[in-house]
Each structure stands twice: as structure tokens, then as C-alpha cells.
Amino acid sequence: MAKKPLLIFPRASSGSRDTLQPFTGNIKYPEKETQVQKFENRISELDRVLENQTAYLGANPANLIAEMILVLEVAGDLKDFFKAVAATPGMEFLGELQSEIDPDENFYTVNGDGERVDKRFGARLFLTMTNQAALRELRAYWEKYKLNRDEQNFVHGTSKFRILFDRLKDLRPYSIADRIYDTGLENYLYEMRLLEVDPVKFEIELAFKNDAAKDERAYDEVNSLLQQNNGRIIENSRVIIPEIAYHAFIAEAPIGSFDDLTENTNITFLKSQQILFFRPVGQSIFDLSEETQLFNYNEEVAGIQPGLTPIVALLDGLPLENHALLVGKINVDDPDDFAHNYLAQNRVHGTAMASLIINGDLSEDSAPLSRPIYVRPILKPIANNQSGGEFLPDDKLPIDLIHRAVKRMFEGEDGNPPTAPQIKLINFSIGDPFRPFHHNISTWAKLIDWLSYRYNVLFIISAGNKVDDIVLDIPEADFDQTSAADVQIATLRKMIEGNFDRKILTPAESINSITVGSSHHDSHGPFNFPQRKNLITSPFLLSPISRIGFGYNNSIKPEILMAGGRHLYRKHIRQTDPEKTHLKIETGESIVHPPGNLAAMPGAPGDMQKVGYLTGTSNAAALTSNLGAKLYEMLLELNEELPNDQKIPERYFTVILKALLVHGSSWGEAQEIITQIIRTLPGISPQTVKRNIYPYLGYGTVDSEKILYCTDHRVTLIGFGELTTRTGQDAHTYSFPLPPSLGTVNIDKRLAISLAWISPLNFKTAQYRKAHLFFDNLENNGHLALSRNSHDFKLGRKGTVQHDVLTGEYADVFQDGDTINIKVSCREDASGLSRQESIKYALTVTLEIRENVHTMIYEEIRLRLQQRIRERI
């Protein structure tokens, strides 16, 4: 099979975007009289609540204004409420959070026939910093609301309050429960108590005021309250990043301060109205507590080509720089001196990740990367005075580490030049083990999204691992005789039943990144260990340890699965229920035995040859970065062959890499396997089956061969450009030439389309994504008879990658010169996208037919592309 280069679309034609149908809500709201009766006294009482809170905290000296965070819970959506808050004196908008609420007699949803449906539905929590002047304004709005509609006379910019009062579900001061909700703090404190850590360190995020004086007063207030409760702020830990509205620091206090997390506590800092969130610090990322006997890797590996700059960065632990598989191939930048006391035997995670990025899975015997990678260590071997494993430090905020690291790459630091300005991909195989993603985007993800847009760089993020035993609904006496297919089905059922506890780990919900889950596959081949149980046999299915989506605003996360190794289990010695089989997950002892991804590992001091087998989503992300680096080299080679007027400008490489990485994915046989289970779940209709596949497969498992080159039977075209929201400049149309040979025979064909971009963000609204790009539904394209057997076209428009796959088998009727036209449109999603702001994007389209037919389409399409390019010139 001859390998042929990818092709470039001729220049797109400009036009006006298509319009998307607006979503029409189906929530029923109460009558106004009901709302007035419910909230009249509560709004009147807010002044007294503010006075009582201020008096209790004792934090209101003469130079401070009494403030409190007010929570306004609204059923459904309310677009751009922050603008109404900005028009209200004394009131500051802090954020919009997503929530779900249970239906009641006043708020509920209805179906298409107008019948009540008893299911939870979406809500918004608006957080505002409010003083006495703001409360007077709020009461004035309320008095207007109570009037007849034609008498209300809201001041310009504040009429959103009328809609808010119509949909108001709750109104209350921000509580301690709000400050720890969905942060993982309680689990963290539980672990710290088990480890007898006292005092305990934790993050405090303050309400960001975007006013230096106000931010300073808030900081001083919380510092004072901490000192009153025998706590302190860790020196030099304070971080302010205005671009993402972030103001935080690390504090330390007696662990007993958190014994009572109700509003009855007498620990004053817990109730400070300046605090938005308490969070854990110093999380464990990789813990290999068992000593393992590794083995040598004696094969020769190629070195790098001199003079090439890194295009992949690794933010992780410190690798073993002199390992035989890494020597001369990593540029370590360690301005924080994390290498101090970082013993060689502790450099496990960074060494393995660097090895997988540079060399791939060593079992595959593929060529290593030709250029070095840039490494910035952000993990340490010790946290909370406990030895073993690698951790994020507990005296520095992760946000600060990541922000400084990326800024240093592209802008420099302390007057020094940028350290790695050519970076296109940043590997981030790190997640917060205390925070699975549920509804609200994390500060980590916000920072990564902003850095992605600011520096035109793509983060590759691991979905996170769920390393637990599994109990299958198979009698223990029957397990060894149960077929592999039935064990696989039983395992998937357990994973799907426990999906709430398997959600992706923050910051994997980042919308501008690519999040990678682990498919249950590696390159080692067969193995024979009878006591070790392989529960999943299909390489297209996710690993039993891989976490699942969705992402923010129900976007598809993880987008792709990559071969992260087959993780095995053993039957537990104690089987407590004869009707079930308890399987114990393997941990460190499996490193010396296949299967898994084979990677460099630190051995004994001075031993630089050791390797071991690892599994998980960290590996999958690293192997995705490896593929991304190969795709980058492919683009450079493609540019060398193209005439000057057709070369791809390097500023588009990032979005092209993003599109290509997703473009090679497909559900394969996994679709039918998971569909069989999902169809049997309660509440699943035939129309929602595809939607419920995405959390487990994303867009599918990546086949690198489908994106690195074309063949006679598979042709991939790349388009790229920039769009704005200005009329006439908010859409590009690409023409894919049809090969005449397809119009005469019945032949299986597959059309895959992928669109990727990096969006600017609006941090004030839950819509968050400013720029929404999308392409048309090509199911009825007028030339090729195609249908969609996989994927959900509407759901695929939620994030910053849209991927669609269409198939057909019949002879098509078209003339030579006919094309399939693909329109890429751009619209504002969250408010605030300037009409002058241009959004870079990439479009990849592949037409593929079976390899075992005589029809060869590559040359037909290439010749017609050249003709179209000449015509445009």
C-alpha cells in the first residue's frame, strides 16, 4: 500500500453563515403572585442578614464596607445577567455556576405535548458581591417587579432583574456548604486525618474584585480571621491572575478548624464573605509505593537531529535525564529548583511520560521523535511530610505553577527571553484526584483554556484514572468458564452503572484542549499469565480504569481514546458473595510483566537502562502527544513540497494538529457492544442511544495511519483559515472534488469531517465559549448517498471540535467536476466576541473506500484539485 501525502483544499470562498435554530425551553415557571408571596420577606430581610454576618465576623472596621455574597438561583437560562449587575450600584458580579434542580409544584418541565415530566433540569447560580447600597437597589427592582408590566419602568440595562424574579428559585447568602461544594475538600480532610497531618494546608480563593484596593482589603480581612483562629497564610503563595478573575493563596490552620462545616461553627474564617472556595493542595499524582524489579532495555534507539527546537512541552514530574532512552532528548527547565532532593528512584511519572512522548510504546518498535521535548517539572516527590509518590507541591498553587510555566515558554520571565516559543503541544497528564468534573468548570480548566487562546497552543490532557477493584455479576464458581465476551459485557455494565463515580478529573473539562481517555490496548501482543484476568477484549473499548465524560456544557469529553495499555485484575482471595466475582485490581507488581505500554523507568542509582509496563490515561495522553509531534513533522514535509503560494502558515499548525488528532478516531466495533447495554438502561429511548455512547468512547479510538498519510483508496484534504462574526466574513465554503469512478459502481464509502478551533472565553457567563464554529449536515449533500450510523450531529457542536462520519454503499449520480461543498460558519456564543476578532480554524475531510477494490480515487481527486487551484490563480 503506497503512502501518499495529504492534500490541501484550494482557497475557500467567503460568504454568510448559516443560522442555527434557537433552543426553545420547556420549563414551566410559577405565576408572579406566587413569586411575590415567596420572596417578599426574604428580600426585605437581607439588610438584617448582612448586619448580623458582619457583626459576627467582627471584620468591619471603619474603612471597610459591609459586604456579602448573594446567591440568586434561577431555573433555566438567563443570558448576560452580569450586564444587569454591572448597571447596579454597589453590586459586583462574581460568577455564574451551573446546577440542576428537582421539579416541584412551581417549577417543572413539560414534553412536546405539554405534559409534565418529573425530571431534573438545569439552573444557574448567580453570585454577586453585595453591600447595603446594592441591597437598596435590589429592593427597588423588586418593588418595580410587583407592579403591572406597563408600570415597571426598569432603568436601561437592568430589565434582566424582571426575568430573574420570574424564574427565581432561591435567594440566599453564600454559605460554608457553597464554599466546599464540588471541591473535594471533605475527602482531602479525611485523608489528612488518616495521615495525622495537623495543621493542614489548603487553598483559599477569594472573590475577585478587579480593583487592587478592594482585593487588598479582602486579603487583609481573611488574613486577620485566619490569625484569630490560629491559622496563617503561606508566604509567597498569593496569586492574582486578572485575565481569569482569580485571586487565591495557600493557608494553613489546625485541622480541627474543619470539624464543623455547618453554619453553626465558631471558626470565623470559614464564614468570611470574601471567600469563594476552599480547596485541597499538594495532591498525589503518581504513587508507586511498592518496590519492583524492573528489566533492562538493550535495543538501540536513534538520537535526535541536531539543531531542531522542541514543539512538545511536558508539564509533569522531573524525568531521569541520563536514562539511555532519554539522554540528549529532553530540555529540562527548572527555575523553581524542583530537582533539589528529587532522588532518581522517585522520578517515575516524568520519566515514563517523557519516554512515551519521545519513543512511543517501546513494544511497537517505531522510530523515536527527531527533535527534543521541553520539560518543566511541576511535581515533587514529597508533600505533607509523607514520603513516596510524586505530588503537586503544597506550598505553591497549581494555577501559579502552570501560568508561570507557560508564560515563561512564550514570553520569558524576569526580563529573560522566552524559553520555548515554538511549542505547539503541551502534555498535561495530571488531574485533581479530589475533583471529578460534574457541572462547573474549574479554575485549572479556565486557565488552560485562556493560555491556549493567548498563546495559540494545544494542551493534551489525560482524562484521569479510576483505580478500583471491580465486582461482576457473575457467580464466582462460573467465572473461569465464562466466555470472554460475557465477561466484557459484565465489566462494561459495572462501569456504566458506576458512571457517576467515574467522571473525568479536573482540568480535563477544558474546552480548548483535547482530552484523552485510555482504550484497552497496547502493542505488546499476546501474553500468558493464567491468574491475571483481562476483562476487556476489544481494542476499541475504553480501559476499565479510564474515566468518562461528558465535559462542560455537555461537550464531548474525552474527545478521543488512545491505547493506554491493558490493565489486568486477579480474583480476590476473599469472595464474600457467591453470586458475584470480586476482582482485585493490579497495582505496582505488574510493572515488570506485560501487557501495558513499555516505557523508560528509573532503576537503582546509576542504572540507566530500566523499563517497565504502565497503563492509564497518562500514557494515552503522552502517546497522543507523540502522534501530534509526528503530525507536525508531516506538515513540515508537506510544506516543503507545496509551492510558496500554497504553503501552510505556521500560525495554523496548532488548530490543524487539533483537527487531525480527532479526525483519525472512530467507534469501530465498540459502538455495537456498548449500544447493546445502553439500550437496556431505564430512560433511554432509541433517539438518545448515540448521545449516551459519547461519555464512554468520545469520538472513538485513534488510528494514526488514517491521518499521517493517504493511500490510493483514502484521500484527506486540509483546509484552514480565520473567520469573524462580520456579515460576509463569517463563513467559508470548501469544495471537495468528487472522483468520477465513484459514480458508476456500488461501493462502500466513508466520509469523515473534522473541524477544530480555539475559542476566546467569557468568564462571566456559563455559556463561556465566545466563538462557535460549525459545519453543515452533509447527510443530504445532493451527490453522494450517505447516512449517519454513528455520532450525534447536534451534540458534536458543543465543544471546540466537531467530528462527523457518514457512510454509503450505492452508486452515485454526478458529473465530472461536481463537488461536495462544506460550509464552515462562525457565530457568537457567549457574549463579548468582538466583530473584529478573527478565529483560526482547521477543517479536515477524508473520503475513503475499501482497499480491496480496483477503483483508485487519490489521483482523480489530486488532479481535480490542481485544476481548481490553477483556475483560482
Side-chain angles (χ1 to χ4, degrees):
M1 178 177 62
K3 297 181 180 180
K4 300 175 180 292
L6 276 62
L7 302 173
I8 304 297
F9 270 112
R11 190 172 69 242
S13 58
S14 296
S16 295
R17 72 173 175 87
D18 290 341
T19 15
L20 292 178
Q21 289 291 336
F23 172 75
T24 53
N26 57 356
I27 300 174
K28 289 298 182 182
Y29 301 102
E31 299 293 330
K32 186 166 91 170
E33 292 74 16
T34 303
Q35 293 292 82
V36 171
Q37 184 178 5
K38 180 178 180 179
F39 292 107
E40 175 72 17
N41 290 336
R42 288 165 70 174
I43 290 176
S44 301
E45 286 286 297
L46 288 175
D47 261 333
R48 184 181 60 80
V49 172
L50 176 60
E51 291 172 3
N52 289 346
Q53 286 188 343
T54 305
Y56 173 77
L57 292 174
N60 189 30
N63 65 332
L64 287 184
I65 300 172
E67 294 178 303
M68 72 174 174
I69 299 175
L70 190 63
V71 181
L72 301 159
E73 184 177 19
V74 174
D77 290 320
L78 180 55
K79 187 174 171 65
D80 292 349
F81 179 65
F82 68 91
K83 294 179 181 178
V85 171
T88 303
M91 189 176 286
E92 299 173 52
F93 189 86
L94 299 181
E96 178 181 343
L97 303 179
Q98 294 187 330
S99 178
E100 282 190 338
I101 55 181
D102 292 312
D104 58 25
E105 67 277 7
N106 294 318
F107 295 88
Y108 56 90
T109 57
V110 295
N111 60 22
D113 298 324
E115 300 167 334
R116 176 169 173 164
V117 180
D118 284 325
K119 66 176 184 179
R120 292 171 65 82
F121 55 92
R124 297 288 182 266
L125 300 180
F126 298 109
L127 308 184
T128 70
M129 185 62 80
T130 307
N131 59 27
Q132 288 170 330
L135 291 178
R136 287 194 295 271
E137 293 293 328
L138 185 65
R139 281 199 308 275
Y141 296 151
W142 178 249
E143 294 302 323
K144 291 177 183 178
Y145 172 74
K146 291 191 295 183
L147 300 174
N148 293 329
R149 180 68 178 263
D150 57 356
E151 299 175 334
Q152 288 176 352
N153 192 28
F154 277 89
V155 175
H156 178 72
T158 65
S159 60
K160 292 279 185 184
F161 276 95
R162 177 175 58 222
I163 305 172
L164 179 135
F165 292 140
D166 276 336
R167 303 178 181 183
L168 193 61
K169 186 76 167 53
D170 194 14
L171 176 147
R172 56 182 172 78
Y174 202 60
S175 66
I176 294 175
D178 292 314
R179 294 183 185 96
I180 64 173
Y181 175 72
D182 203 22
T183 63
L185 184 76
E186 290 179 285
N187 289 337
Y188 169 73
L189 292 171
Y190 175 77
E191 285 196 12
M192 293 301 101
R193 290 186 179 103
L194 290 179
L195 295 170
E196 299 182 351
V197 175
D198 192 15
V200 64
K201 292 188 177 80
F202 50 95
E203 176 188 346
I204 290 179
E205 182 180 348
L206 301 181
F208 179 70
K209 309 292 185 63
N210 201 28
D211 179 302
K214 290 180 180 180
D215 286 329
E216 196 64 33
R217 287 198 297 267
Y219 176 81
D220 291 342
E221 176 182 319
V222 175
N223 186 26
S224 174
L225 293 174
L226 277 166
Q227 291 177 7
Q228 291 172 26
N229 293 273
N230 299 312
R232 69 185 183 99
I233 293 175
I234 300 301
E235 188 177 3
N236 298 322
S237 68
R238 184 183 181 190
V239 178
I240 298 178
I241 307 177
E243 292 86 352
I244 61 169
Y246 180 71
H247 180 191
F249 51 83
I250 297 173
E252 184 180 68
I255 197 165
S257 304
F258 297 94
D259 286 348
D260 182 2
L261 292 175
T262 71
E263 294 301 310
N264 297 321
T265 181
N266 59 2
I267 305 298
T268 51
F269 74 80
L270 294 176
K271 291 186 172 184
S272 170
Q273 290 298 303
Q274 305 300 331
I275 296 176
L276 270 183
F277 298 111
F278 297 102
R279 297 193 187 96
V281 293
Q283 299 98 315
S284 172
I285 300 303
F286 185 82
D287 187 0
L288 182 59
S289 54
E290 304 175 43
E291 292 188 10
T292 58
Q293 297 297 317
L294 300 170
F295 59 98
N296 286 340
Y297 187 82
N298 297 315
E299 303 290 331
E300 288 189 14
V301 292
I304 62 169
Q305 293 182 23
L308 296 180
T309 57
I311 60 98
V312 177
L314 172 64
L315 304 184
D316 208 280
L318 183 65
L320 197 61
E321 297 175 67
N322 292 324
H323 194 287
L325 290 162
L326 303 180
V327 63
K329 298 181 177 183
I330 56 177
N331 298 347
V332 174
D333 182 21
D334 185 21
D336 296 322
D337 194 23
F338 278 25
H340 183 66
N341 292 331
Y342 210 137
L343 300 178
Q345 61 264 32
N346 290 326
R347 302 185 185 188
V348 178
H349 201 257
T351 299
M353 294 306 103
S355 175
L356 289 168
I357 293 171
I358 293 167
N359 304 300
D361 186 339
L362 291 167
S363 296
E364 192 172 324
D365 194 29
S366 61
L369 300 185
S370 57
R371 58 180 75 227
I373 66 170
Y374 172 91
V375 178
R376 170 69 180 264
I378 62 172
L379 301 182
K380 279 185 159 185
I382 296 175
N384 299 314
N385 297 319
Q386 303 297 317
S387 60
E390 293 172 271
F391 300 77
L392 287 163
D394 65 357
D395 60 348
K396 298 179 188 294
L397 288 169
I399 300 297
D400 184 38
L401 282 172
I402 300 164
H403 180 235
R404 286 191 296 109
V406 177
K407 188 175 181 181
R408 179 180 171 90
M409 287 182 214
F410 293 101
E411 293 187 26
E413 189 175 35
D414 298 329
N416 295 313
T419 53
Q422 301 301 318
I423 293 295
K424 296 292 183 291
L425 304 168
I426 298 178
N427 192 98
F428 198 78
S429 295
I430 294 172
D432 185 342
F434 293 106
R435 188 169 179 195
F437 172 74
H438 290 124
H439 293 296
N440 292 298
I441 198 154
S442 65
T443 310
W444 276 27
K446 288 179 182 178
L447 177 71
I448 284 171
D449 285 335
W450 176 74
L451 291 170
S452 299
Y453 184 71
R454 172 71 178 81
Y455 297 114
N456 190 27
V457 66
L458 177 63
F459 280 81
I460 307 293
I461 303 180
S462 58
N465 298 330
K466 177 72 171 172
V467 185
D468 282 340
D469 292 357
I470 191 166
V471 180
L472 301 183
D473 293 327
I474 299 174
E476 189 271 336
D478 300 338
F479 180 80
D480 290 334
Q481 288 74 45
T482 303
S483 70
D486 287 342
V487 170
Q488 178 172 269
I489 290 293
T491 303
L492 290 170
R493 283 189 183 278
K494 279 298 176 183
M495 293 166 66
I496 292 171
E497 288 171 5
N499 62 6
F500 184 82
D501 294 323
R502 300 180 67 90
K503 298 300 185 185
I504 57 175
L505 294 180
T506 287
E509 76 276 16
S510 153
I511 70 164
N512 278 332
S513 66
I514 285 184
T515 301
V516 187
S518 174
S519 65
H520 193 67
H521 185 60
D522 53 62
S523 298
H524 182 268
F527 59 93
N528 183 25
F529 298 100
Q531 300 305 314
R532 305 171 73 210
K533 308 300 181 183
N534 184 20
L535 306 184
I536 301 287
T537 56
S538 171
F540 287 91
L541 287 168
L542 78 165
S543 164
I545 68 171
S546 186
R547 288 182 173 266
I548 65 167
F550 287 104
Y552 187 62
N553 278 333
N554 285 325
S555 60
I556 293 168
K557 291 284 179 176
E559 285 95 345
I560 57 175
L561 302 182
M562 187 67 79
R566 290 166 288 176
H567 202 105
L568 305 185
Y569 294 74
R570 295 175 184 266
K571 288 175 69 173
H572 204 286
I573 296 174
R574 291 185 179 180
Q575 297 288 335
T576 57
D577 185 344
E579 296 303 310
K580 299 180 184 294
T581 303
H582 184 172
L583 294 156
K584 185 175 178 58
I585 194 166
E586 287 194 339
T587 52
E589 76 272 11
S590 65
I591 282 181
V592 73
H593 299 298
N597 303 123
L598 188 60
M601 299 280 284
D607 188 347
M608 298 297 171
Q609 298 284 137
K610 289 294 187 281
V611 292
Y613 293 97
L614 295 174
T615 61
T617 61
S618 290
N619 298 11
L623 290 172
T624 303
S625 295
N626 171 271
L627 176 56
K630 292 176 179 177
L631 288 168
Y632 177 86
E633 302 297 342
M634 179 271 291
L635 292 176
L636 291 182
E637 292 173 10
L638 192 59
N639 261 356
E640 289 179 3
E641 300 298 324
L642 290 170
N644 287 334
D645 59 345
Q646 295 176 39
K647 291 186 188 297
I648 307 171
E650 189 151 334
R651 66 182 181 275
Y652 295 109
F653 274 27
T654 301
V655 285
I656 293 173
L657 293 175
K658 184 175 181 177
L660 284 170
L661 286 169
V662 174
H663 193 61
S665 62
S666 64
W667 285 351
E669 65 185 29
Q671 177 178 357
E672 184 56 33
I673 296 169
I674 289 192
T675 296
Q676 290 177 19
I677 301 172
I678 287 177
R679 279 181 181 150
T680 66
L681 300 178
I684 302 296
S685 67
Q687 293 74 29
T688 60
V689 169
K690 288 179 187 175
R691 182 187 188 280
N692 284 279
I693 291 175
Y694 278 114
Y696 307 98
L697 299 181
Y699 285 120
T701 301
V702 174
D703 182 346
S704 61
E705 291 189 355
K706 287 186 178 293
I707 48 179
L708 283 167
Y709 57 87
C710 299
T711 68
D712 287 329
H713 301 85
R714 186 183 67 241
V715 188
T716 298
L717 273 64
I718 299 172
F720 54 90
E722 298 182 36
L723 288 170
T724 71
T725 56
R726 296 196 298 274
T727 303
Q729 300 179 36
D730 53 359
H732 285 161
T733 299
Y734 290 88
S735 296
F736 191 106
L738 293 171
S741 57
L742 283 191
T744 58
V745 291
N746 288 340
I747 188 169
D748 290 343
K749 61 186 79 72
R750 179 180 184 269
L751 184 71
I753 312 153
S754 304
L755 171 68
W757 70 101
I758 295 177
S759 177
L761 299 314
N762 183 337
F763 297 107
K764 290 183 177 293
T765 171
Q767 285 174 291
Y768 187 61
R769 176 188 68 174
K770 282 186 182 180
H772 178 200
L773 276 65
F774 57 95
F775 57 77
D776 297 335
N777 186 348
L778 292 185
E779 200 162 9
N780 299 307
N781 58 75
H783 291 301
L784 294 186
L786 299 170
S787 60
R788 184 177 294 104
N789 297 319
S790 60
H791 300 330
D792 181 305
F793 186 71
K794 290 185 179 178
L795 192 64
R797 294 176 167 184
K798 293 281 190 178
T800 57
V801 176
Q802 184 183 356
H803 179 63
D804 197 23
V805 177
L806 301 162
T807 57
E809 56 183 303
Y810 299 110
D812 302 295
V813 180
F814 55 83
Q815 298 177 348
D816 192 2
D818 283 346
T819 62
I820 293 180
N821 293 324
I822 306 164
K823 180 187 279 190
V824 178
S825 298
C826 177
R827 64 185 282 269
E828 181 184 71
D829 192 5
S831 60
L833 182 61
S834 165
R835 292 174 64 82
Q836 310 305 316
E837 194 165 12
S838 59
I839 308 300
K840 300 180 188 70
Y841 72 87
L843 177 75
T844 51
V845 183
T846 295
L847 181 62
E848 181 178 10
I849 61 174
R850 291 199 314 267
E851 291 284 346
N852 60 351
V853 298
H854 294 297
T855 304
M856 298 182 182
I857 60 175
Y858 183 88
E859 284 303 316
E860 291 184 88
I861 293 175
R862 187 182 66 83
L863 290 173
R864 282 153 183 80
L865 282 173
Q866 290 179 343
Q867 181 180 357
R868 292 181 63 82
I869 290 170
R870 286 195 297 268
E871 288 173 356
R872 294 197 71 97
I873 293 174

